[in-house]
Amino acid sequence: FDAAAGERPLDRTRLTILASDNPAGAAALTDGNRTTRWQSHKAQEKGMWVECRLAKPAPLCSLTLFYNTYPFDRARALSVLAHTEYGCVEIAHGITSEMDRFQFQNCHPVYGDQAQTIRFPPVTADSLRIQIEIPEPNRDWTIGEIELHRAAP
């Protein structure tokens, strides 16, 4: 993930993952192993979602979806909703399936990950929901890992 100044990954052990489809497999989204995956086990549909719940509210500014060996199982467009103290708010809309060129780790580029970073205005939230706006016809939705990023203090 190409971190903007001060952004840092949120501790994945602070997350509980839910999914509209195949909820039993959702824990694979934060197991720290990008070779495991969650899969919807059915064709993508508008409104299909995965949700990251935090142990307590945190200031968030972006998320990264790692598709890795399943780069064709991503939706044509996504939206991101945040649950804040004021209720549910859409914070990103019409996110196309464009992938990151590469990731950074310890200030060095890492090639090979099939990742999509979605940035949004900083928001303090206790959950983020990623949902399909425009599905990829006849494809399951498959994600290897989800990483949330804290906003700089």
Side-chain angles (χ1 to χ4, degrees), residues 81-131:
L81 296 96
H83 186 264
T84 71
E85 64 180 311
Y86 306 108
C88 191
V89 179
E90 186 174 73
I91 56 174
H93 176 76
I95 305 299
T96 61
S97 59
E98 185 175 329
M99 304 292 267
D100 301 347
R101 290 189 344 209
F102 49 84
Q103 300 290 300
F104 277 97
Q105 189 172 34
N106 300 323
C107 299
H108 298 285
V110 176
Y111 299 92
D113 277 341
Q114 297 291 318
Q116 178 182 26
T117 299
I118 301 169
R119 288 194 162 74
F120 42 83
V123 61
T124 298
D126 61 11
S127 72
L128 287 184
R129 178 176 284 196
I130 302 108
Q131 70 182 29

Side-chain angles (χ1 to χ4, degrees), residues 31-51:
D31 66 2
N33 182 349
R34 294 182 186 163
T35 62
T36 61
R37 68 190 184 283
W38 165 84
Q39 189 170 30
S40 61
H41 291 304
K42 70 179 202 176
Q44 296 176 22
E45 299 174 351
K46 181 180 172 119
M48 194 177 273
W49 55 266
V50 293
E51 185 172 312

